[in-house]
């Protein structure tokens, strides 16, 4: 079922945040061309409405660029048991993830970056073709981990996971790493995801354990560079963060122990920090009620303060910080509640409301494989959310989404 071409439309709205300016436009007008791009935007009195064009009146509403979650998993997970994910058929995972995409769209998300799944490429194509409703999907396919690394499932026999898990495949040595990278590129992924440290939900390692050698990392990043795709690094400890950036990664995921040297390197590389405060907040606060094992709870709680300090350190240095939740679908971390990341940036880190919204729109869009999303400026895609209340007065308004548009077309979800 192909998408209908949107007609040219004019939206008159009480308030508009364009994702780039420091202030909102009051009594605003947004003109959307029939190709789904923004034709004009600004105060209503200064933007002419083309004749014979449909008008949509949104009084007392705020329009913001569509939200971007730069770190999700579209694998349809419904529990926090890592071993359970390995036994879920891809067909069931895809069906569940289709509903997760609808939940994301209802929450105002118009783009998501899937960093570890077996079904992301298929979901991306189904959304593009209009077969299912949801945000734009940008995917890495399965991540790449060393044996015994964060993408391994340590509690299962090695032979059960030698060919990989739903979230990652295993590779050791530069040649295997290069081959796995080429397999992802053969699948047509939008980016690569590599694991350069241990993590919270991998039993026999820790966030500060570095993983992969320089040669292994470089083998993967060079393949990505030749194909023109970025590399996202699961990197929590400072040694793994530094190794990832020094060897060609472009985004740091989690960054629990991001120190001053790492921040300097991140800025020098022009990279983006995706801290995923949301999953750490949920695991630390409520993980024990949702089946998160004691060893994972201990690691999350031990790293929590350092994690907040790392984000504060990056913010003070004016590093690029993007919203990403690491949400997967279970009740503890469900898709549809992903705007929590913007709230945490305000409540825990001290961001202004405008800075948090820009982290969730323009800055998060830096991680995507296109440059025409994340703002409501002339020539950008008309991806936006209609909010019932003003998020600049109260950041919790990002949860109260009434409508979501992609390419100027309202998503029926």
């Amino acid at each position: 079922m192909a998408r209908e071409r949107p007609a040219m439309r004019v939206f008159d709205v009480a308030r508009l945040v364009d994702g780039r300016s420091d202030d909102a436009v009051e009594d605003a007008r947004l003109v959307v061309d029939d190709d789904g791009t923004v034709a004009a935007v600004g105060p209503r009195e200064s933007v002419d409405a083309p004749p014979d064009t449909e008008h949509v009146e949104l009084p007392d509403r705020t329009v913001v660029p569509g939200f971007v979650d730069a770190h999700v998993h579209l694998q349809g997970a419904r529990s926090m048991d890592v071993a359970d994910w390995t036994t879920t058929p891809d067909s069931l995972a895809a069906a569940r993830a289709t509903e997760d995409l609808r939940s994301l769209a209802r929450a105002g998300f118009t783009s998501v970056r899937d960093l570890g799944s077996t079904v992301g490429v298929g979901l991306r194509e189904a959304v593009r073709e209009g077969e299912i409703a949801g945000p734009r999907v940008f995917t890495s396919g399965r991540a790449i981990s060393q044996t015994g690394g964060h993408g391994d499932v340590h509690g299962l026999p090695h032979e059960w996971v030698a060919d990989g898990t739903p979230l990652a495949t295993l590779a050791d040595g530069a040649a295997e790493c290069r081959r796995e990278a080429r397999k992802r590129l053969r699948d047509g992924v939008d980016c690569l995801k590599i694991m350069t440290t241990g993590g919270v939900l991998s039993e026999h390692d820790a966030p500060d354990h570095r993983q992969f050698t320089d040669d292994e990392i470089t083998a993967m990043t060079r393949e990505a560079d030749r194909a023109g795709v970025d590399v996202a690094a699961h990197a929590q400890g400072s040694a793994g963060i530094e190794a990832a950036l020094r060897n060609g990664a472009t985004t740091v995921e989690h960054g629990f122990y991001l120190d001053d040297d790492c921040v300097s390197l991140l800025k020098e590389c022009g990279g983006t920090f995706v801290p995923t405060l949301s999953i750490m907040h949920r695991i630390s606060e409520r993980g024990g009620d949702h089946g998160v094992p004691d060893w994972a709870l201990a690691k999350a709680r031990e790293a929590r303060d350092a994690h907040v300090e790392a984000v504060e350190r990056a913010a003070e240095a004016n590093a690029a910080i993007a919203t990403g939740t690491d949400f997967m679908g279970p009740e503890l971390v469900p898709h549809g509640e992903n705007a929590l990341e913007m709230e945490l940036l305000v409540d825990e880190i001290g961001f202004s409301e405008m800075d948090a919204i820009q982290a969730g729109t323009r800055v998060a869009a830096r991680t995507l494989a296109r440059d025409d999303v994340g703002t409501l400026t002339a020539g950008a895609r008309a991806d936006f959310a209609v909010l019932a209340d003003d998020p600049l007065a109260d950041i919790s308004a990002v949860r109260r989404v009434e409508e979501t548009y992609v390419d100027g077309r309202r998503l029926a979800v």
Side-chain angles (χ1 to χ4, degrees):
M1 179 179 65
R3 285 187 177 182
E4 296 179 4
R5 186 180 179 87
M8 193 171 194
R9 303 172 88 182
V10 174
F11 295 83
D12 288 333
V13 58
R15 183 178 305 100
L16 183 142
V17 175
D18 67 12
R20 191 174 296 281
S21 305
D22 292 334
D23 299 307
V25 179
E26 302 292 334
D27 192 22
R29 172 166 287 167
L30 172 68
V31 181
V32 179
D33 210 337
D34 60 5
D35 65 355
T37 62
V38 175
V41 64
R44 188 181 314 192
E45 62 185 17
S46 64
V47 177
D48 292 333
D52 302 321
T53 303
E54 179 185 357
H55 271 65
V56 179
E57 297 286 343
L58 296 169
D60 304 318
R61 299 295 184 265
T62 299
V63 162
V64 297
F67 301 138
V68 178
D69 193 324
H71 190 133
V72 300
H73 293 280
L74 296 176
Q75 192 63 25
R78 292 297 183 263
S79 81
M80 295 302 294
D81 183 349
V82 178
D84 180 58
W85 305 344
T86 68
T87 59
T88 301
D90 280 354
S91 55
L92 179 56
R96 290 172 172 173
T98 298
E99 182 55 37
D100 289 339
L101 287 174
R102 295 191 185 99
S103 296
L104 282 157
R106 285 191 291 267
F109 285 83
T110 56
S111 292
V112 294
R113 190 173 60 143
D114 167 46
L115 293 182
S117 78
T118 57
V119 298
V121 171
L123 293 171
R124 180 189 69 191
E125 297 309 305
V127 171
R128 282 180 179 174
E129 294 169 3
E131 296 290 347
I132 60 176
R136 304 177 191 276
V137 175
F138 301 84
T139 184
S140 68
R142 291 193 285 182
I144 306 173
S145 167
Q146 69 176 47
T147 298
H150 179 62
D152 201 342
V153 182
H154 303 158
L156 296 179
H158 177 261
E159 57 267 26
W160 291 12
V161 296
D163 292 330
T165 73
L167 300 190
T169 57
L170 308 182
D172 302 292
E176 284 188 12
C177 290
R178 185 177 298 109
R179 184 178 300 111
E180 285 301 313
R182 288 175 176 174
K183 287 179 181 178
R184 298 302 178 283
L185 298 170
R186 180 180 183 274
D187 290 336
V189 298
D190 303 290
C191 61
L192 290 186
K193 166 77 174 299
I194 65 175
M195 311 291 203
T196 63
T197 71
V200 168
L201 292 177
S202 43
E203 184 173 4
H204 295 153
D205 59 23
D208 60 349
H209 290 175
R210 177 182 162 173
Q211 296 176 354
F212 281 134
T213 66
D214 285 359
D215 287 346
E216 289 171 323
I217 297 171
T218 301
M220 294 181 283
T221 59
R222 283 183 177 170
E223 291 303 314
D225 185 60
R226 291 197 303 118
V229 305
D230 287 341
V231 177
H234 164 102
Q236 297 180 351
S238 57
I241 296 168
E242 180 183 352
L245 291 171
R246 185 163 33 79
N247 291 295
T250 44
T251 68
V252 171
E253 314 298 314
H254 316 301
F256 296 171
Y257 298 104
L258 188 88
D259 60 20
D260 289 334
D261 290 340
C262 292
V263 171
S264 296
L265 187 57
L266 178 73
K267 294 184 67 177
E268 179 184 330
C269 296
T272 305
F273 180 25
V274 187
T276 66
L277 291 163
S278 296
I279 193 168
M280 284 289 282
H281 173 78
R282 287 285 175 85
I283 288 176
S284 298
E285 295 292 321
R286 295 188 289 179
D289 297 329
H290 292 269
V292 176
D294 289 342
W295 48 263
L297 292 173
K299 286 192 282 186
R301 290 165 179 164
E302 180 181 352
R304 190 78 177 98
D305 289 345
H307 190 201
V308 170
E309 291 169 6
V311 185
E312 291 173 339
R313 184 176 297 115
E316 289 170 4
N318 292 316
I321 298 174
T323 54
T325 59
D326 205 9
F327 279 10
M328 310 169 192
E331 185 180 0
L332 179 66
V333 285
H335 291 302
E337 297 183 10
N338 309 61
L340 173 63
E341 191 78 6
M342 287 179 279
E343 296 181 83
L344 292 175
L345 285 173
V346 172
D347 296 339
E348 292 194 346
I349 309 302
F351 273 39
S352 70
E353 287 78 4
M354 182 64 86
D355 286 344
I357 292 168
Q358 291 192 7
T361 55
R362 174 180 56 82
V363 182
R366 286 166 50 103
T367 70
L368 306 180
R370 61 189 302 163
D371 59 7
D372 59 353
V373 296
T375 66
L376 288 173
T377 53
R381 305 311 303 178
D383 296 357
F384 58 93
V386 179
L387 308 184
D389 302 303
D390 180 5
L392 300 180
D394 179 359
I395 193 61
S396 71
V398 295
R399 285 189 257 138
R400 295 185 285 280
V401 175
E402 294 191 339
E403 297 176 344
T404 304
Y405 289 78
V406 171
D407 285 336
R409 176 178 176 268
R410 184 183 177 189
L411 294 183
V413 290

